[in-house]
Amino acid sequence: MPEPINRKPVRPPRPAASRPGINRFLFLVVIAMAAGYLFSSVFRTAFRDRTPVYREFDVMNTYAALTIPAESGAGTLTPTELADVAETVIRRVDTLMSPFGDLSDIRRLNETPAGVWIQVDPMTWTVVMESLRWHRLSGGAFDPTIGPIKALFRFGREDAVEWPSDAALDEARSRVGAEHLMYDREGMRLAWKRDGMRLDLGAIAKGFAADAAADALQARGVRNALVNIGGELRVLGEKPGSPSTPWRAGIKHPRREDILERLDLKDAAVATSGDYERYFMYNGVRYEHIIDPRTGLPLTDGPASVTVVHPTSCLAADALATTMCVLGPEDGEAFLRDQALGLFAQGVRVVMLLTRDDGGVDRIEFTVRDGEVDVTRDRHD
């Protein structure tokens, strides 16, 4: 038999030699990249511009002012970036609720024939629904549909050129009434029941814009800031410092330039309505820019000013200031008592100023607390 052939055992191929140097290099690269990203993030946060910001700009047919302290309590955004956020929100409200402009929901609604539905932005929807709620609660003293009557008068001028005719006033009054505005909650749609109606959110939109801007700041970690839109204020926290101090605001004398009363504010909202800025004179009579929906005429003998301090909502303060101007001291007090346990359960403060023939001012303060309304009266020269 042939001898078996001696063969060397065949070894399986050896795996490729590992390269510890390369692997270690890749590991170090990854670590370096992660460390660099972390360091750059910490560096940006530590050395971001913390300069406090005070910014003014024109909007909503008035001015706006934003105060963002360096110690605003914000997270990753600088005070300048936070001011940009707040300004963007305010301009968005103006775009949607101005009576003019291609993107205005109010312009589109006012130009739409009766019975035709239009869909509006959620912001617009919120303000319109709040306006209708205030109309119901105030018994019609607050009415967002007084646009046709306002258009007849030249507010902001020192003197009116002429008084509207009785026929023009009657015709305008026939096109006023919040009950003629239809709404579809599911689709956020609005429509008029009759032609020629005009929605005017001037008595509530600035307050809403101040709230919306403040809410946007809070959502980004801001604890201290002030938003001012034409005198409608929403304050967050206090003014940072050692120690911190309240934000300061003032109630102006309605016939002089001096400040009649100072307000110390923390986490609150303030709104003022009156006859000392927008009015006109006709036949020696001073007419406010506020329309009384019950008469269809501008106010002549209402309060010279009403300032409302609300704990949470500038929209509510704005609407209440207008309502109290229309209602006056007696009916206004009755309204506050009716709503003390509902609308104003969180508390509210109302300072009403009435001018006297001798040039002095009568001051009435209503304070709602725990379902009760306290009233104090005093006089100023």
Side-chain angles (χ1 to χ4, degrees), residues 107-298:
R107 180 197 63 79
R108 292 192 299 119
L109 177 65
N110 290 344
E111 294 179 357
T112 299
V116 178
W117 293 91
I118 69 163
Q119 188 175 42
V120 298
D121 186 271
M123 278 188 168
T124 306
W125 176 263
T126 296
V127 177
V128 172
M129 291 299 102
E130 282 295 307
S131 296
L132 296 179
R133 185 167 76 105
W134 276 88
H135 176 261
R136 292 191 298 269
L137 293 172
S138 67
F142 184 95
D143 195 320
T145 68
I146 42 79
I149 297 176
K150 286 183 69 173
L152 296 178
F153 296 95
R154 302 189 177 206
F155 297 111
R157 297 173 60 96
E158 184 176 347
D159 295 288
V161 177
E162 62 181 12
W163 190 263
S165 67
D166 290 342
L169 279 170
D170 288 341
E171 195 277 335
R173 290 189 187 106
S174 71
R175 295 186 284 118
V176 172
E179 65 274 12
H180 300 306
L181 178 61
M182 300 186 292
Y183 53 90
D184 166 32
R185 293 186 182 277
E186 185 175 348
M188 290 190 185
R189 299 186 305 161
L190 302 171
W192 294 115
K193 291 182 182 179
R194 61 175 60 175
D195 288 324
M197 303 286 292
R198 291 185 62 178
L199 195 65
D200 187 318
L201 300 178
I204 198 171
K206 291 192 295 294
F208 172 80
D211 285 337
D215 292 346
L217 293 174
Q218 282 187 312
R220 288 160 177 80
V222 175
R223 296 190 298 270
N224 308 287
L226 186 150
V227 179
N228 179 359
I229 305 178
E232 321 295 47
L233 310 178
R234 175 77 184 275
V235 303
L236 301 178
E238 295 182 297
K239 293 178 66 175
S242 299
S244 60
T245 57
W247 296 102
R248 301 294 298 274
I251 299 178
K252 182 184 174 187
H253 192 292
R255 297 294 181 264
R256 300 199 300 261
E257 292 301 318
D258 54 306
I259 299 299
L260 192 66
E261 184 174 346
R262 300 272 181 193
L263 300 174
D264 290 337
L265 304 169
K266 176 184 177 180
D267 289 321
V270 181
T272 299
S273 294
D275 70 354
Y276 56 93
E277 288 188 347
R278 296 186 63 198
Y279 67 94
F280 68 86
M281 303 293 296
Y282 184 77
N283 287 345
V285 179
R286 187 187 189 100
Y287 290 89
E288 297 185 35
H289 74 285
I290 299 173
I291 302 293
D292 185 342
R294 301 168 301 180
T295 65
L297 293 173

Side-chain angles (χ1 to χ4, degrees), residues 349-362:
R349 180 185 175 201
V350 180
V351 177
M352 182 179 290
L353 303 179
L354 301 99
T355 55
R356 301 193 305 267
D357 292 339
D358 64 2
V361 172
D362 290 332

